[in-house]
Amino acid sequence: MNISRQLDTLLQDFPNCETVAFADISTGLVLCSSTRKTMSRGQLDALCAAAIELLNGKQASLASATLDPNGNAKVQEALLMEDGLLNIFVRSSVVSTEALCCICVPEIEIDSFIDRACSELANFDTD
Amino acid sequence: MNDINRLKSKLEKLGAEEFGAKSDGHVFKVSNLDEVMTVMLREIDETLLGRELEFRNDRGDMIGLEVSGRRLLCVSKVLPERLATSFKSLLKVATFDAHGPEIDDMARLLDAFSEEATKLKVTSHGLSRAMGSSEVGCSPDSLAQAWSLDAVETTEENEESAVASFLASCRDIASAWIQLKEGSVTRKSGDEALIERLVSLASDGFSIPDIGLKQGGNSAEAKRCIVLRSPSLEQHSVLFAENENRAALVLFPAENLSQVISKWHSAVA
């Protein structure tokens, strides 16, 4: 199954997820996306930029440095809740520069959604 | 409480005293023992003349405190009879310092009084007895220290702040949290070592970055939170929530993520 189909299936399996985008967070490029609503290129780029800021930015460094005694932990998952929407960003455990950027409603089953997102990301690199 | 409300409250109290009118009292939203204690200490702190303050919860329980010169003199009455019997040794016993056994007993009384209480009504009456010159009483600061209350929060926080109500609802699912107002820590709770880390994180400038997802930019009124998770962060996730000039930093076990998000969603709804 190609990545585009996998994203469509993820969206189909989680009705409370509105948009999911696969991004390279080292370059800031959205490589593939699936969405229930119209998203402009600019909106997808903003979503990717948010992933970069939250997973690799200053706040992620501060959290890692303060909370990890060894100081080398990478933030794997980040959530932003604002205006009744829950943005979920999940970094690949296989390729740390790849991530899924998702727009959901807060009622989503967060734990199972993140587990599924992690396994999808791992599948992208093994398929 | 802002200055206008504080002045209005004072005028109402003065009016009641001067003209014998009965105050309807003030009602506060409470959700735990700390909040009940905080309301009581603030009321004591605002009482200059000799008064009997009556605190009545929404279950019908009542505690009367004799207060003067911003100091607690004694517990004057307790209702219902069941509570009064259990804490009989406390009634009418003068409080001199914060280390006496009556202060510990009072904390236990308040614990029982706070159970399942969601509202606290406070009324005030003139003292029906003359005060003795040896009645020193106990200050709210000493009581707060004896009861391990980290800070006395304003009633405005209890009534209006989404951040405060979120923190109150996280009591059982967070490992540690700090509340910030204009960058200063106003309240804290939980494991001391974790609190230190949160304070350090706050002083390093941890906040929600301006990531521009919201069209039209981020306003000060926005209610936003971020959660960062890593398997290596000692199994904890860190949350930063903000609304207007108030913010919170929370550390919670990773498995509580969905509950924490749900609590924030409810607090801002």
Side-chain angles (χ1 to χ4, degrees), chain B residues 18 27 32 34 56 68 71 105 115 129 131 145 148-149 179 181 203 224 235 238 250 255 257 261 264:
Chain B
E18 190 174 343
V27 178
N32 55 49
D34 283 5
R56 204 173 288 271
S68 181
R71 297 173 80 87
D105 284 346
E115 203 175 323
R129 65 177 181 86
M131 281 173 48
Q145 204 170 4
S148 302
L149 275 180
Q179 184 175 331
K181 188 171 183 181
S203 63
R224 310 187 295 164
Q235 310 306 318
V238 61
V250 183
E255 64 266 24
L257 175 67
I261 291 296
W264 174 252

Side-chain angles (χ1 to χ4, degrees), chain A residues 111, chain B residues 172-175 229 237 252-263:
Chain A
D111 294 321
Chain B
D172 297 326
I173 53 175
S175 306
R229 303 213 301 175
S237 298
F252 60 93
E255 64 266 24
N256 290 347
L257 175 67
S258 59
Q259 288 183 73
V260 169
I261 291 296
S262 170
K263 301 283 185 195

Side-chain angles (χ1 to χ4, degrees), chain B residues 67-80:
Chain B
V67 177
S68 181
R70 292 178 164 170
R71 297 173 80 87
L72 170 67
L73 301 180
C74 70
V75 178
S76 55
K77 54 188 162 194
V78 175
L79 287 174

Side-chain angles (χ1 to χ4, degrees), chain A residues 59 76-77 79 81-82, chain B residues 207 224-227 229-230:
Chain A
Q59 311 310 321
Q76 288 296 118
E77 295 140 24
L79 294 85
M81 199 162 154
E82 183 180 22
Chain B
S207 62
R224 310 187 295 164
C225 85
I226 56 169
V227 175
R229 303 213 301 175
S230 164

